[in-house]
């Protein structure tokens, strides 16, 4: 395994941990505190997102990932807002 491979494995693991944190929020809410963690699910998600962002930075520093594109980020936000409105129109999202 190369260093690049290992970096991608860690990125994959962090992405999975973000998914797990979201699952906990959907199942138990943002404010639920799992006793073994000692902090709520909102904090759990924030920490996991920080870990994922750190991996993105490492990938960029190693030349494996291009720099962030502010226009692409703006476009994604606009798409999310557009499709949220459509979901509401279709009766699948509470107003």
């Amino acid at each position: 395994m190369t260093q690049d491979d290992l970096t991608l494995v860690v990125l994959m693991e962090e992405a999975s941990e973000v998914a797990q944190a979201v699952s906990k929020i959907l199942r138990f809410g943002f404010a639920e505190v799992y006793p073994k963690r000692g902090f709520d699910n909102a904090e759990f998600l924030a920490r996991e997102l920080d870990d994922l962002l750190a991996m993105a930075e490492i990938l960029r520093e190693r030349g494996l990932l291009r720099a962030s594109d502010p226009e692409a980020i703006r476009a994604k936000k606009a798409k999310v807002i557009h499709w949220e409105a459509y979901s509401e129109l279709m009766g699948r999202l509470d107003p």
Side-chain angles (χ1 to χ4, degrees):
M1 177 181 299
T2 67
Q3 184 182 42
D4 291 353
D5 293 340
L6 181 59
T7 303
L8 291 170
V9 167
V10 176
L11 173 69
M12 186 171 51
E13 289 173 353
E14 295 303 340
S16 178
E17 290 170 7
V18 167
Q20 180 186 25
V22 171
S23 176
K24 298 298 182 195
I25 290 168
L26 290 172
R27 292 172 63 203
F28 308 117
F30 280 95
E32 186 259 350
V33 176
Y34 183 62
K36 290 183 181 178
R37 273 199 317 260
F39 49 86
D40 64 24
N41 288 331
E43 179 65 21
F44 181 41
L45 177 59
R47 290 180 185 197
E48 295 304 341
L49 284 169
D50 285 343
D51 290 349
L52 185 64
L53 292 171
M55 291 311 301
E57 283 187 20
I58 289 171
L59 287 165
R60 287 186 183 98
E61 289 165 0
R62 293 181 179 173
L64 301 172
L65 188 64
R66 66 167 173 73
S68 292
D69 179 351
E71 179 55 29
I73 292 168
R74 187 211 57 76
K76 179 60 177 181
K77 288 178 177 181
K79 282 183 186 178
V80 168
I81 291 167
H82 169 80
W83 290 111
E84 283 177 345
Y86 183 70
S87 292
E88 186 176 344
L89 179 69
M90 299 304 296
R92 299 301 303 160
L93 181 64
D94 297 334

